[in-house]
């Protein structure tokens, strides 16, 4: 049986060291014509929600997404070098991605609130982009609700690999929103306590499998193989 593995990016695979919020602030300033008084509220939200929320927090009507997206992508592209300088790939991330990429029957992509262009920037800054099929992921431009991105990614993987619609999906992420997206969409979830949320918080949000980080690649692969009924 195949398995679709969808990775969150920020605080699951990489530490962006505040560059993400600078990207949102720059996009807001470019579109609004003024600097932001309030930082972006992120924590697992999609880019559509994040930018809409920024405008609302400043008492402004959010513009059409088609106005925001190209500006957001330009802000991300302009900060790739700064991200590479200040941020880092989290412990075990590279090894975990490589192990999944090498596993027969596992298809590895991304499920993130970032738009695809900025997701690519964040992975490429640390040399991780070649370890996932970025084209098959679910991204912040695809839907407002994170749970809806699961169906988007499942469809894209099916079109690219010919996997049946019932192919199991597992989300790997660090926030209760990742967990809720899995629960709402019928996907499996592996929560990683590498962000601001503790293992207890992630368990309380509904995650049955919680890892401290991605350094124990053998344990991660055992969890993933169990979803395909394979032997560890």
């Amino acid at each position: 049986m195949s398995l679709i593995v969808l990775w969150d990016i920020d605080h699951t695979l990489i530490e962006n060291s505040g560059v993400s919020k600078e990207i949102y602030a720059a996009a807001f300033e470019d579109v609004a014509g003024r600097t932001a008084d309030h930082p972006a509220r992120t924590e697992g939200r999609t880019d559509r929600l994040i930018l809409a929320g920024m405008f609302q927090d400043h008492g402004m009507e959010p513009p059409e997404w088609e106005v925001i997206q190209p500006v957001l992508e330009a802000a991300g592209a302009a900060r790739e070098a700064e991200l590479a300088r200040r941020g880092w790939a989290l412990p075990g991330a590279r090894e975990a991605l490589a192990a999944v990429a090498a596993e027969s029957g596992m298809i590895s992509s991304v499920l993130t609130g970032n738009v695809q262009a900025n997701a690519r920037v964040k992975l490429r800054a640390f040399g991780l982009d070649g370890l996932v099929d970025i084209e098959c992921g679910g991204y912040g431009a695809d839907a407002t609700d994170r749970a809806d991105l699961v169906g988007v990614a499942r469809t894209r993987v099916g079109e690219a690999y010919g996997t049946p619609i019932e192919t199991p999906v597992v989300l790997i992420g660090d926030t209760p929103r990742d967990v809720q997206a899995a629960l709402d969409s019928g996907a499996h979830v592996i929560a990683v306590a590498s962000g601001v949320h503790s293992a207890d918080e992630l368990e309380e949000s509904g995650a049955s499998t919680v890892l401290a980080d991605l350094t124990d690649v053998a344990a991660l692969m055992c969890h993933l193989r169990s979803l395909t009924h394979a032997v560890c």
Side-chain angles (χ1 to χ4, degrees):
M1 181 187 294
S2 296
L3 178 67
I4 300 169
V5 183
L6 301 176
W7 303 83
D8 174 54
I9 296 178
D10 293 294
H11 312 299
T12 299
L13 296 176
I14 73 159
E15 171 53 54
N16 66 64
S17 294
V19 175
S20 260
K21 291 196 175 181
E22 292 170 12
I23 291 170
Y24 295 124
F28 173 86
E29 181 175 352
D30 194 292
V31 175
R34 54 161 293 188
T35 57
D37 297 325
H38 310 290
R41 292 179 287 115
T42 54
E43 290 191 0
R45 293 176 175 86
T46 63
D47 279 357
R48 285 179 177 267
L49 280 178
I50 291 167
L51 268 299
M54 283 193 78
F55 280 92
Q56 291 162 353
D57 288 346
H58 289 81
M60 304 171 69
E61 185 69 22
E64 295 295 321
W65 175 250
E66 290 72 21
V67 174
I68 295 174
Q69 183 170 348
V71 176
L72 182 61
E73 291 175 353
R79 287 161 180 78
E80 182 171 351
E82 183 68 4
L83 176 63
R85 185 181 72 83
R86 285 164 47 189
W88 58 87
L90 287 172
R94 190 181 313 278
E95 294 79 7
L97 288 172
V100 174
E103 185 81 2
S104 177
M106 291 188 188
I107 300 162
S108 189
S109 191
V110 173
L111 191 137
T112 175
N114 292 282
V115 294
Q116 185 183 118
N118 289 359
R120 189 184 299 273
V121 163
K122 289 180 176 183
L123 293 174
R124 186 171 59 211
F126 308 105
L128 304 178
D129 53 315
L131 296 173
V132 294
D133 188 338
I134 290 178
E135 299 301 325
C136 292
Y139 298 96
D142 295 323
T144 300
D145 190 325
R146 196 178 189 93
D148 293 336
L149 301 181
V150 177
V152 172
R154 188 195 292 275
T155 297
R156 287 176 176 158
V157 170
E159 291 171 349
Y161 292 90
T163 53
I165 195 66
E166 65 271 14
T167 301
V169 175
V170 58
L171 308 189
I172 302 177
D174 67 288
T175 73
R177 289 180 188 270
D178 294 303
V179 176
Q180 194 62 50
L183 297 176
D184 289 348
S185 63
H188 302 281
V189 64
I190 295 175
V192 187
S194 49
V196 299
H197 297 283
S198 68
D200 287 343
E201 288 177 301
L202 294 169
E203 288 176 359
E204 288 169 5
S205 70
S208 57
T209 301
V210 181
L211 304 178
D213 53 35
L214 294 173
T215 56
D216 192 342
V217 176
L220 172 67
M221 295 306 296
C222 189
H223 285 304
L224 293 176
R225 289 180 187 126
S226 73
L227 301 179
T228 68
H229 308 294
V231 178
C232 293

